[in-house]
Amino acid sequence: MNFYSYRLMVRPQEQNYILRCRKLYHQYIVDMYVKIETERLNFIRFNQAKLRSEQYIHLQDAIANDANINDIGRLTILPSSYIGSPRNMNEYAQDAMCYVRKYGRPDLFIKFTCNPQWDDIKNNLFAGQSTTDRHDITARVFRQKCKAIMDLIEKLYVFGEVRCHMYSIEWQKRGLAHAHILIWLVHKVTPDQIDNLISAEIPNHTADPELFQVVVKNMIHGPCGELNMNSPCMIDEKCSKRYPRQFTSGTITGNDGYPLYRRRSPNDNGKTATIRMHNQEVEVDNRWVVPYCPLLSKIFNAHINVEYCNSVKSIKYICKYVNKGSDMAIFGVADENRYDEITQYQMSRYISSNEAVWRIMSFPMHERYPAVVHVAVHLENDQRVYFNVANLLEIAAQPPATTLTAFFKLCETDTFAITLLYSEVPQYYTWNVSPKKFQRRKQGTAVHGHPGIFQTDAIGRIYTVHPNNVECFYLRLLLVNVNGPKSFQELRTVNGHLCETYREACQLLHLLKDEAHCDSTIHDASIWAHPQQIRMLFAVILSTCMPSNPLELWNKYKHNIAEDILIRMRHHARNPDLLITLEMYNEALIIIEDRCLRIANKTLVQLGMTVPNRDMHDLFDRELQREQEFNSNDLRLFVQSNITKMNIQQKHVYDTIMQAISNNAELQKP
């Protein structure tokens, strides 16, 4: 079967045959991509022996001992260069935070969804085909639409001059593709400008009938709730998207990342519309409108949700799509001596036919501007090396250059470089891979007072270091605060005194005053990390860094640490407005204490924290809650109506149990 010329040649009445053909076609697409991906992963797997990785100092030790390299390095790794791998997704999320660090919060969040009813798609179908029969056409058209909307935003300044942007493509199971876009503007959007850019109201049918049709068709949520209890957004009989929203006479900026947009009621000159749902007509008002930009909606005739970002926390929304894994659950008996990242990646994959086509055509999953340049951080002789049996001795004798060691050499010869921080170097210098050294940029904006120096928008990102890696963590802290060091020794030298450790150097430079590094570490994590990750980080800091005032850190970030527990209890209580309670904080403390016991075998009391109430943990036992959720009167009536139906053995068991309960006695085993 030819993938690009696939066509259904059946009579219209043969509906079952058509459905079977479509299912086979979708499976054919997925199988095609799975084979492609398997071949790529097999290349990485079968070249592990040729491309082994280990830190340089560990390689030196092995050569000094017995020249045995069989047990050096990771057995099977999936590198970050493989698009879609966990390492790749984590790096992309970290890169996103570089924009926040340099430019602050994003101004706009846009969700652009493919519309299968576009004329560009329908006009290219063969007779008898639907859009579900030609995912290749859908992917090509949506790719062009994504480029078009980005050109409108970047080149035609529909929202103003753009400073930087990033977007990622995502699929929701069998749904069509949609892009999540973050926009940073040169001139920030002020609250009084929101209504000029974003609307959450049904337009006037008489004044703009084209926009009215687009909004009614694409930007009305649901309806759900009492109008449609089977809507996909309904969880525990409540809308997970919190529709219908409340009427608001004017836009109000909140503190949770997004404002409350103007949604006027029909009594306040708000408009209504009639839509058809389940063969009946339903009247909707502004409470059901998803926020949109009128200009973009008219141009693209699609679902384009536009939101004003009022907080840096909104970047979590796009990052969670990049970092989330598959819904697949697996289990098995694993070999503890074997660590295989490729197998773990393959076993956790979910691929829809839409995503398979997109990847087969090599369309980008993520795009951004400006570029983020990664610069290494490592201790002396601790850089990562790539080696095989043939070049082992050569690499061990001469450690390879990294961006960090090249930065030290650059500062020795370049007078401008000594004025820069390590992370600022990529703005003025390019990294030449072949000679492994930095070279001055030849294009960009000329730097005043420094002939031959040009500046670009490139952003340097120093790789993050876990606080558990103590010395490397403090080395990184020095690199982000000390300009133009020429060596590792110079980094440890403060006022002519060569410190024994990087921690001592940080203390002499007052970089550790009032445990500021712990606070800043948790603060950064609270912006981009998930609550589970924040709890793990907090436990590591308590166990290894010994902060002087851990209770102050807990009280400052306890809401971020227990945020997922609050969300879980909201779903369980079927109350989206439920506020966080002491019981939820207590649950988070229990989880943290369990991790501290595993890391350092110490309780929270020993680490300067309060004692969690473990008896309160039963309140969060789902099985216990489920068993307790019954109506005693209904249960009593059920027993009374069915007790006469028991046989002799069942009646004997029932009487024995009830007698033991009445006497508060323990049942005796037969």
Side-chain angles (χ1 to χ4, degrees), residues 356-379:
V357 171
W358 189 276
R359 290 181 179 270
I360 289 172
M361 294 180 175
S362 299
F363 292 153
M365 302 293 295
H366 316 291
E367 287 194 355
R368 64 192 180 197
Y369 178 84
V372 177
V373 180
H374 301 163
V375 289
V377 55
H378 57 82
L379 299 174

Side-chain angles (χ1 to χ4, degrees), residues 535 538 554-555 558-559 561-566 568-569 580-595 604-605 609-621:
R535 284 195 292 268
F538 191 77
W554 162 255
N555 291 326
K558 61 183 180 181
H559 182 80
I561 293 174
E563 185 178 10
D564 62 330
I565 300 174
L566 171 62
R568 171 160 59 91
M569 294 308 297
I580 198 162
T581 62
L582 293 176
E583 289 80 4
M584 300 177 194
Y585 290 138
N586 183 77
E587 178 73 4
L589 285 173
I590 292 175
I591 298 173
I592 292 172
E593 185 174 59
D594 290 340
R595 290 176 176 171
L604 289 185
V605 175
M609 291 284 292
T610 56
V611 183
N613 185 354
R614 293 197 173 260
D615 293 336
M616 197 181 295
H617 177 69
D618 291 340
L619 296 175
F620 290 83
D621 188 330

Side-chain angles (χ1 to χ4, degrees), residues 376-417:
V377 55
H378 57 82
L379 299 174
E380 189 172 7
N381 287 338
D382 203 29
Q383 61 263 49
R384 187 169 298 278
V385 299
Y386 297 90
F387 62 92
N388 53 41
V389 177
N391 63 8
L392 172 63
L393 297 176
E394 179 184 353
I395 292 180
Q398 181 63 39
T402 65
T403 54
L404 180 56
T405 58
F407 173 57
F408 292 151
K409 292 182 179 180
L410 180 68
C411 293
E412 293 177 356
T413 58
D414 195 313
T415 56
F416 179 75

Side-chain angles (χ1 to χ4, degrees), residues 391-654:
N391 63 8
L392 172 63
L393 297 176
E394 179 184 353
I395 292 180
Q398 181 63 39
T402 65
T403 54
L404 180 56
T405 58
F407 173 57
F408 292 151
K409 292 182 179 180
L410 180 68
C411 293
E412 293 177 356
T413 58
D414 195 313
T415 56
F416 179 75
I418 61 176
T419 65
L420 303 176
L421 293 171
Y422 183 36
S423 59
E424 296 173 340
V425 173
Q427 297 181 44
Y428 308 93
Y429 299 85
T430 59
W431 173 248
N432 195 321
V433 178
S434 298
K436 293 187 180 300
K437 65 179 182 179
F438 284 108
Q439 296 178 340
R440 289 185 177 182
R441 291 188 178 273
K442 299 179 180 180
Q443 296 180 343
T445 305
V447 179
H448 180 71
H450 297 277
I453 300 295
F454 296 92
Q455 181 180 6
T456 64
D457 293 331
I459 301 175
R461 177 172 77 83
I462 306 177
Y463 281 106
T464 55
V465 178
H466 202 283
N468 200 21
N469 192 356
V470 180
E471 276 299 277
C472 195
F473 177 82
Y474 292 118
L475 169 64
R476 186 183 186 278
L477 186 60
L478 290 170
L479 288 173
V480 298
N481 287 278
V482 178
N483 295 79
K486 299 181 178 63
S487 65
F488 289 100
Q489 289 74 20
E490 185 172 325
L491 270 176
R492 298 204 312 268
T493 304
V494 180
N495 298 326
H497 171 66
L498 179 61
C499 302
E500 292 186 2
T501 63
Y502 295 105
R503 181 188 178 107
E504 181 184 352
C506 291
Q507 289 175 332
L508 293 179
L509 291 173
H510 304 290
L511 299 178
L512 304 183
K513 185 178 180 180
D514 298 329
E515 304 288 354
H517 64 296
C518 294
D519 188 290
S520 61
T521 301
I522 302 177
H523 174 73
D524 291 343
S526 67
I527 295 176
W528 66 269
H530 296 292
Q532 300 95 323
Q533 296 171 310
I534 303 175
R535 284 195 292 268
M536 186 62 191
L537 174 64
F538 191 77
V540 170
I541 289 177
L542 287 178
S543 305
T544 62
C545 300
M546 303 300 178
S548 59
N549 194 346
L551 277 176
E552 182 179 348
L553 292 175
W554 162 255
N555 291 326
K556 187 174 183 179
Y557 298 105
K558 61 183 180 181
H559 182 80
N560 302 96
I561 293 174
E563 185 178 10
D564 62 330
I565 300 174
L566 171 62
I567 295 174
R568 171 160 59 91
M569 294 308 297
R570 281 176 173 174
H571 287 311
H572 182 79
R574 303 177 182 179
N575 180 10
D577 299 321
L578 181 67
L579 299 178
I580 198 162
T581 62
L582 293 176
E583 289 80 4
M584 300 177 194
Y585 290 138
N586 183 77
E587 178 73 4
L589 285 173
I590 292 175
I591 298 173
I592 292 172
E593 185 174 59
D594 290 340
R595 290 176 176 171
C596 290
L597 288 170
R598 289 196 294 267
I599 295 172
N601 196 27
K602 293 183 178 180
T603 63
L604 289 185
V605 175
Q606 294 173 300
L607 297 172
M609 291 284 292
T610 56
V611 183
N613 185 354
R614 293 197 173 260
D615 293 336
M616 197 181 295
H617 177 69
D618 291 340
L619 296 175
F620 290 83
D621 188 330
R622 292 187 176 183
E623 291 299 321
L624 178 62
Q625 292 177 356
R626 183 179 62 82
E627 292 295 334
Q628 292 177 342
E629 287 180 351
F630 62 87
N631 188 299
S632 57
N633 293 327
D634 294 342
L635 181 61
R636 186 179 298 106
L637 293 175
F638 176 81
V639 172
Q640 292 175 355
S641 61
N642 288 277
I643 194 172
T644 57
K645 302 176 183 179
M646 294 181 181
N647 57 34
I648 298 176
Q649 291 82 4
Q650 292 172 336
K651 188 65 167 60
H652 173 70
V653 172
Y654 174 78

